[in-house]
Amino acid sequence: MKQPDQIPQLQKLGHDVHLMPAIYVKAYVKRGKSDAVDAEAICEAVIRPAMRFVAIKSEEQQGILFLHRARDLVVRQQTQLSNMLRGLLSEFGIVIAQGIGSAVKFAKTIPDGKKSVIPEVAVDVLANLSNQILDLHLRIHRYDKRLRLEAQKDPR
């Protein structure tokens, strides 16, 4: 993994720096896994005329990418939780419409004490899942707000 200031330092020394996705280099690995084999594969890949390179990102761009990836993870977790909640409740005849909005709307009613036909042993689990969905929902909104702020800073 590259250190944050290695690329600019190499460029200052007059080197032409290119980044290649590892998946493009993998096709040129002939045997086993070692530093020497990897270096040979990189040398082979870099001389190919059709090799595609990745743009070098600034630290600021990497930070924005960090934010996007974290948001994506939270969205996937929220989807998993809402699907689990939907599946568990369907066992008791409670139907939640598809979509995150419906799951969030249902989760907001749980702290109010609306438990209906849920057995007491499952009420705590239902409350925990609902709280997690609500927490993830708020976290996504915070990420969205931060992404909007970052987008306003960027002249592009």
Side-chain angles (χ1 to χ4, degrees):
M1 193 160 142
K2 69 174 179 62
Q3 295 298 321
D5 11 299
Q6 278 182 330
I7 289 177
Q9 287 177 356
L10 291 171
Q11 289 173 328
K12 286 177 189 174
L13 293 172
H15 294 283
D16 190 17
V17 179
H18 296 284
L19 295 178
M20 292 185 294
I23 195 150
Y24 294 169
V25 176
K26 188 176 181 179
Y28 299 98
V29 175
K30 295 179 181 126
R31 64 195 177 282
K33 175 83 174 108
S34 71
D35 289 346
V37 169
D38 290 347
E40 183 181 345
I42 290 169
C43 289
E44 182 70 28
V46 78
I47 62 172
R48 298 295 179 186
M51 178 54 63
R52 294 177 296 192
F53 298 100
V54 178
I56 299 171
K57 294 176 189 69
S58 69
E59 287 184 7
E60 189 66 28
Q61 289 171 320
Q62 290 173 347
I64 300 293
L65 188 57
F66 191 95
L67 187 59
H68 278 285
R69 287 181 177 160
R71 184 191 179 281
D72 183 55
L73 171 67
V74 174
V75 167
R76 283 184 280 128
Q77 289 173 336
Q78 184 186 39
T79 301
Q80 289 174 335
L81 275 170
S82 67
N83 288 338
M84 181 177 192
L85 185 66
R86 189 176 290 109
L88 291 172
L89 290 172
S90 70
E91 296 291 326
F92 295 103
I94 299 172
V95 177
I96 301 175
Q98 285 193 347
I100 296 298
S102 300
V104 169
K105 186 176 178 180
F106 179 85
K108 287 179 180 178
T109 67
I110 297 305
D112 296 339
K114 297 180 181 176
K115 298 169 188 148
S116 65
V117 298
I118 309 287
E120 189 62 35
V121 70
V123 170
D124 186 48
V125 174
L126 178 61
N128 286 331
L129 291 174
S130 297
N131 287 333
Q132 283 181 304
I133 288 173
L134 294 174
D135 178 52
L136 293 173
H137 186 68
L138 290 174
R139 208 176 310 168
I140 291 168
H141 280 292
R142 285 194 297 267
Y143 285 146
D144 288 343
K145 185 177 180 180
R146 183 63 192 262
L147 284 168
R148 279 192 295 275
L149 289 172
E150 294 300 323
Q152 289 173 354
K153 291 180 190 177
D154 192 341
R156 292 174 286 159

